[in-house]
């Protein structure tokens, strides 16, 4: 019908934009000094062979019967929620979380790329999460990289070279760097997909343009230093405040966003939505979030207890559960007996906490669960 034709038109327009981006970023492959021709997938493949098949990506899990669960190895017990196999059904209509693709759709296309965000939009996500860095030339680019939250943006595994993305201008990064097909982080997608991306480092403007065309929301993690003001200015310039969220583990950046953009809607809620990210939330995490006037609290999936989520909502903030990077999640899922690697059981268990948004590596699996109708 008319709506379907409209949707097709939107994605055709997005595809045209992707073609344009590819053309603008096309460089001679011989001039790129960090491309590696092959990758070693043996470690991941070994882990995959140890698990049973999963339709999503071949990485699967075999869940033990409930009577075999060890309390300390049960995600449901850790979160103090109903186990996914509970016979008590609840209609999804009463609680359907927003689905955000973590760095895009990382099992379909390389993370933080135009192709990855378009793939996520095609899957039907509500939004995508990305990482923003301000380069020395003043351009905000989308990239994650190696390193810690205190020292992010390192290029070792991602590009096969030493240094940080912060050492480059946008033009230098485009000309001198490319994604490393041998990098472990890209071992979950076909090598050809890594080599064929339009650009290894899309600008935030390019990604926001895609989001504007497809209608998806964007959670912008302020990953690098100095990002709040230029990111806000760009979002304002593109008239996309209603589609964007701003988050960070560095809570002073959340405070800076609020200082720069204190505007509120008529209903008293902040126009610019901000999220405090926590790895392991302290006892006073609500106070921490309130002190920087955040509108949301973003908890790591395995700290997303029923009590913490209830406390967030009682404090009139919204909640999100975020999942770690895909390779970490593959390994970490082995510590649980009642759920597998980002399978429906894991998503259902986290969903049972009452969380309002979920930022996941396998949005297609979560969407399939939600589209199934009933939850268990």
């Amino acid at each position: 019908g008319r709506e379907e034709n409209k949707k097709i038109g939107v994605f055709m327009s997005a595809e045209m934009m992707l073609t344009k981006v590819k053309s603008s970023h096309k460089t001679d492959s011989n001039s790129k000094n960090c491309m590696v021709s092959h990758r070693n997938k043996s470690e991941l493949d070994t882990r995959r062979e140890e698990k049973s098949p999963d339709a999503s990506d071949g990485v699967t899990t075999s869940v033990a019967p409930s009577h075999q669960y060890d309390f300390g190895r049960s995600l449901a017990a850790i979160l103090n929620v109903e186990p996914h196999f509970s016979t008590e059904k609840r209609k999804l209509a009463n609680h359907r979380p927003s689905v955000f693709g973590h760095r895009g759709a990382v099992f379909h296309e390389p993370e933080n790329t135009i192709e990855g965000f378009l793939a996520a939009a095609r899957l039907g996500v509500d939004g995508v999460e990305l990482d923003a860095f301000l380069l020395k030339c003043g351009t905000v680019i989308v990239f994650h990289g190696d390193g810690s939250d205190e020292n992010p943006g390192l290029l070792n595994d991602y590009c096969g070279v030493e240094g940080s993305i912060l050492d480059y201008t946008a033009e230098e990064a485009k000309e001198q760097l490319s994604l490393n097909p041998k990098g472990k982080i890209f071992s979950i997608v076909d090598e050809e997909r890594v080599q064929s991306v339009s650009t290894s480092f899309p600008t935030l403007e390019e990604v926001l343009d895609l989001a504007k065309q497809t209608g998806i929301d964007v959670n912008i993690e302020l990953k690098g230093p100095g990002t709040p003001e230029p990111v806000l200015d760009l979002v304002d310039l593109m008239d996309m405040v209603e589609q964007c969220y701003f988050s960070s583990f560095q809570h002073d950046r959340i405070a800076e966003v609020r200082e720069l953009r204190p505007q509120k809607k008529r209903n008293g809620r902040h126009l610019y939505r901000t999220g405090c990210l926590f790895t392991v939330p302290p006892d006073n995490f609500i106070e921490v979030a309130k002190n920087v006037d955040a509108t949301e609290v973003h908890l790591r999936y395995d700290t997303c207890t029923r009590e913490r989520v209830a406390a967030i909502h009682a404090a009139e903030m919204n909640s999100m559960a975020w999942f770690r990077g895909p390779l970490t999640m593959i390994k970490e899922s082995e510590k649980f007996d009642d759920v597998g690697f980002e399978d429906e059981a894991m998503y259902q268990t986290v969903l049972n906490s009452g969380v309002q948004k979920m930022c996941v590596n396998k949005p297609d699996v979560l969407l399939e669960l939600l589209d199934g109708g009933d939850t268990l």
Side-chain angles (χ1 to χ4, degrees):
R2 183 178 301 176
E3 287 300 316
E4 184 63 25
N5 290 336
K6 182 179 179 181
K7 183 182 292 186
I8 292 173
V10 166
F11 283 115
M12 287 180 65
S13 176
E15 290 282 12
M16 291 175 64
M17 190 210 76
L18 178 56
T19 301
K20 182 178 179 181
V21 170
K22 284 184 176 181
S23 177
S24 67
H25 287 282
K26 186 176 181 181
T27 57
D28 182 353
S29 61
N30 292 329
S31 69
K32 295 186 176 183
N33 63 5
C34 64
M35 182 73 85
V36 184
S37 60
H38 299 287
R39 60 181 172 166
N40 181 1
K41 300 201 302 177
S42 59
E43 182 179 353
L44 177 62
D45 290 340
T46 299
R47 286 198 296 267
R48 286 182 171 180
E49 289 171 3
E50 292 173 349
K51 294 180 178 276
S52 31
D54 176 52
S56 170
D57 56 37
V59 180
T60 57
T61 76
S62 167
V63 178
S66 59
H67 66 273
Q68 295 181 13
Y69 295 165
D70 180 283
F71 184 86
R73 292 177 56 84
S74 166
L75 181 60
I78 291 170
L79 300 185
N80 192 27
V81 300
E82 296 173 5
H84 67 88
F85 54 82
S86 170
T87 57
E88 181 181 346
K89 291 188 176 182
R90 295 180 295 125
K91 291 292 184 181
L92 270 175
N94 295 331
H95 175 47
R96 182 187 177 93
S98 297
V99 178
F100 277 65
H102 187 209
R103 308 177 197 169
V106 297
F107 283 95
H108 295 263
E109 297 284 353
E111 66 173 55
N112 279 325
T113 61
I114 294 293
E115 287 84 351
F117 297 125
L118 180 57
R122 284 186 174 280
L123 289 173
V125 299
D126 298 293
V128 294
E129 183 269 355
L130 56 78
D131 306 279
F133 283 88
L134 175 66
L135 301 187
K136 58 185 182 181
C137 60
T139 300
V140 179
I141 59 102
V142 176
F143 181 65
H144 188 275
D146 302 305
S148 63
D149 290 311
E150 293 74 26
N151 184 32
L154 303 184
L155 301 172
N156 306 61
D157 188 54
Y158 279 72
C159 294
V161 297
E162 297 295 323
S164 166
I165 190 62
L166 298 176
D167 299 331
Y168 295 79
T169 65
E171 188 66 22
E172 289 169 346
K174 181 182 71 173
E175 294 178 351
Q176 300 175 29
L177 300 174
S178 60
L179 301 182
N180 174 18
K182 193 176 181 180
K184 289 183 179 180
I185 190 62
F186 301 119
S187 62
I188 57 177
V189 292
D190 291 336
E191 183 175 337
E192 291 182 1
R193 307 309 306 162
V194 181
Q195 294 177 323
S196 65
V197 294
S198 56
T199 173
S200 304
F201 313 99
T203 65
L204 179 59
E205 182 176 3
E206 289 168 342
V207 178
L208 291 180
D209 189 24
L210 175 66
K212 196 168 190 176
Q213 292 186 52
T214 57
I216 59 174
D217 288 342
V218 183
N219 189 103
I220 304 170
E221 183 181 340
L222 305 171
K223 199 74 173 177
T227 46
E229 188 166 13
V231 167
L232 288 167
D233 289 344
L234 180 59
V235 169
D236 286 342
L237 180 65
M238 299 184 71
D239 192 25
M240 291 186 66
V241 176
E242 294 291 341
Q243 278 181 255
C244 293
Y245 301 80
F246 310 90
S247 66
S248 183
F249 288 100
Q250 308 299 320
H251 298 154
D252 58 325
R253 292 173 193 165
I254 300 303
E256 184 177 351
V257 170
R258 186 60 65 230
E259 181 179 351
L260 293 169
R261 299 293 191 277
Q263 297 93 322
K264 292 186 177 182
K265 300 178 182 180
R266 290 183 178 179
N267 62 8
R269 293 185 176 274
H270 284 290
L271 178 61
Y272 292 79
R273 296 166 292 183
T274 58
C276 276
L277 278 160
F278 291 96
T279 301
V280 178
D283 291 341
N284 67 335
F285 76 99
I286 294 291
E287 180 183 353
V288 171
K290 284 290 190 182
N291 284 343
V292 294
D293 213 359
T295 60
E296 300 187 355
V297 174
H298 298 175
L299 299 175
R300 197 176 70 194
Y301 78 101
D302 58 343
T303 69
C304 199
T305 65
R306 183 194 301 270
E307 293 77 14
R308 287 188 179 121
V309 171
I312 293 168
H313 299 166
E316 298 186 330
M317 293 184 287
N318 293 329
S319 59
M320 184 178 83
W322 61 271
F323 288 70
R324 308 180 76 175
L327 295 185
T328 302
M329 287 302 304
I330 290 172
K331 185 174 182 180
E332 194 164 283
S333 64
E334 296 174 357
K335 70 183 183 182
F336 302 118
D337 288 336
D338 57 344
V339 300
F341 164 52
E342 292 202 46
D343 59 0
E344 289 194 0
M346 176 174 279
Y347 290 153
Q348 179 64 72
T349 300
V350 177
L351 174 62
N352 287 349
S353 70
V355 71
Q356 295 166 315
K357 294 198 297 185
M358 294 175 65
C359 182
V360 301
N361 294 304
K362 297 164 74 172
D364 45 344
V365 174
L366 179 53
L367 288 166
E368 179 65 25
L369 170 66
L370 299 178
D371 291 340
D374 292 335
T375 59
L376 295 177

